[in-house]
Every structure is written in structure tokens, then in C-alpha cells.
Amino acid sequence: MTGHFRYTSPQPPKSATGVVADVYAQLATDFGIERASTFVVLSASPPLLTATWALVRESLLAGHVSRTEKEVVAAGVSLANRCAFCVVAHTVLLHATGDHRLAETIGGGGTPDAPGHRELLAWGKDMSIPQPFPAGHAPEHIGTALAFHFVNRVVSSLLTEDMLPGGAQKYRLVRSAAGRSLARTVRRELRQGASLALLETEGAEPAWAAGSPVGTAFGALRTAAHLGAGLLSDEDAAFVRESVAGWDGVTALPLNSAELPGRVERPGARLALLAARAPYRITDEDVAAWRVPPFTDHCLVHLIAFGAFCAVERIEANLPTHSKELA
């Protein structure tokens, strides 16, 4: 397969077997996009694919919180992370909810009219501020936001910026039409937990998830993503963790930063740190310097996932401990 994929060559979804095929089947019915490249790019690692899909499904797609509200949060995260692909994707999905003005306002970098949407968008851009939702909504809102902090980094690292062929997403009518084609699927109510049987890893559930399916999926993704640390020396893995732990969770890492390891001297640490703190700055040369035999697509996906999830954990650590009380 070519097109969206920059550094990997995933097998065509039609040739998938086992749990990968099962994920694609759920994607088609629950997400409405059978060959969503945001998930196909992870197919070289079934543990990463299943956990990422489960976290997105259980937080963004299923549950009781308004899908429109969660799409606003996801768009805010994507804007903060400069993930052009994902900003367009959430613009299209907001069109699918039926709120076309909101979709174009957010997609164009504007401010929503409704105070609730303004607050959610601002929180998506900076999760360290007070949470503008009731405590009971935390698993879905926080799960959605952290899911896309991970997905944005994978997408910016491994996919092109164009969501649609030929850059067609730049046209409003195309974005609107794409959203309308997904409207029926987006407006369906999905049973929570249906993706959990696909998981190939498990891990500790975070307190904010309150024992929900979102927490199970998040724990599984944490375990799967940290497998990528094994591709680095102990020294380099510790360096990446320490650099991300000392980061404010917002500021991008400049390419001339003294923190950034050299491409020749420590290519793996450089790639993982960029995935965490500035994935849109990963270059062909960065990938080529590290990806030499015996490293494969499977290895590259795991290294990027390790860096990406280190960032997720740093952002999670910045979460305030209070939310709006239920009215």
C-alpha cells in the first residue's frame, strides 16, 4: 500500500487475518471507515493496533457523553499538536454530527459560539486547566483527549498530512460531503466494551477512568506502547523518559535544542524523543539513520509508539484533580 504511509508498507486490509481482520471489521461498522489509515499504519503490531482501536472506540465512539462534545475535545488536542491530518478528520466528523458551522469554525482555527464548546476546545488544547465537564464525564473526555495525543503523534510521524487523495480535504464542500457520508454511523449509539475482547495486552487502569472500559483500553495501550523501549539501550530509554518527564507538556522541542540527540550518534533516542515532543519535525533522514537491518515496520511503529506514549503519560500527569460538579 502507498498513499498516506510515509515509512511503512502495511499489508492491504483485505488480506488481513486474525485479530487484525477483526479490528478492521469493527472499524467498518463502528467507525464507518473500513480502511482508516490511522489504524492501518499500526497493523504491523497487533497489540498496538488493538489497544489503540479499543481506546478510541470506548472513549470517543461509545458511551453517554455527546459525540459532538468529544469531537470538539479531539479537535482541540489535534490543533495543539499541529496534526493537520487529524484536524481535518475531526472537522469531517463534526460535519457528520450535523453541526456544520461548528465544524468549519474549529477546523479553520476559530472560536465556537457556544460557551460549552469554547471551554471544551480550550481544555483540549491545554489539559492542565480545570476540566469543564462533570466528574461523571471524565472517563470519556479524558480518554478521548489522551487517545488523540497518542494518535496525533503516530499520524504526524508516519502518515502524510493529506487525509483525502490529492489534498481534496481543503475544499469545504468535500469536507461536508465526507461528513454527511458518515452521519448515520456517527449518530449511532454503541455498546461500551465491545472492543475489549480484541486486546492482546493488559495493564493498570488509571484512576480517572473510574473502572470503565476506557480504563481497560488505556492500560492495554500503555503496556503495548512501552514494549518499544526494548528497541533502545537502557541509557537511551531512560534519557527519553527523563526528557519527557521534565517537559511542560505543551512547548515543542526545537530542532536545534541541546536536548535533542544527534542523528548519527543516537538515532533511536532522537526518533523517540521527536515522536514525543515534536513528531511533525521527524524527517526522512531521522528515520533512515535508525531504520537499518534488522529493524522492520514492526520495530518502527513500536519505537514511535514508545515516544508517543511517554508524552501521553506526561500530559496525564498534568491533569488537575478536580472537575465541575454534576448539576
Side-chain angles (χ1 to χ4, degrees), residues 43 85 227:
S43 60
F85 184 108
L227 292 174

Side-chain angles (χ1 to χ4, degrees), residues 110-131:
T111 302
D113 294 331
H117 290 154
R118 285 202 300 270
E119 291 179 347
L120 287 169
L121 184 67
W123 181 78
K125 291 179 178 179
D126 181 2
M127 293 171 65
S128 68
I129 66 177
Q131 298 163 8

Side-chain angles (χ1 to χ4, degrees), residues 24-43:
Y24 291 155
Q26 273 199 352
L27 271 171
T29 58
D30 293 353
F31 194 47
I33 305 173
E34 186 175 357
R35 301 181 180 186
S37 53
T38 47
F39 298 101
V40 175
V41 74
L42 294 170
S43 60

Side-chain angles (χ1 to χ4, degrees), residues 123 127-135 138 142 318-325:
W123 181 78
M127 293 171 65
S128 68
I129 66 177
Q131 298 163 8
F133 44 79
I142 295 175
N318 279 350
L319 287 171
T321 57
H322 61 279
S323 298
K324 282 186 176 180
E325 295 299 325

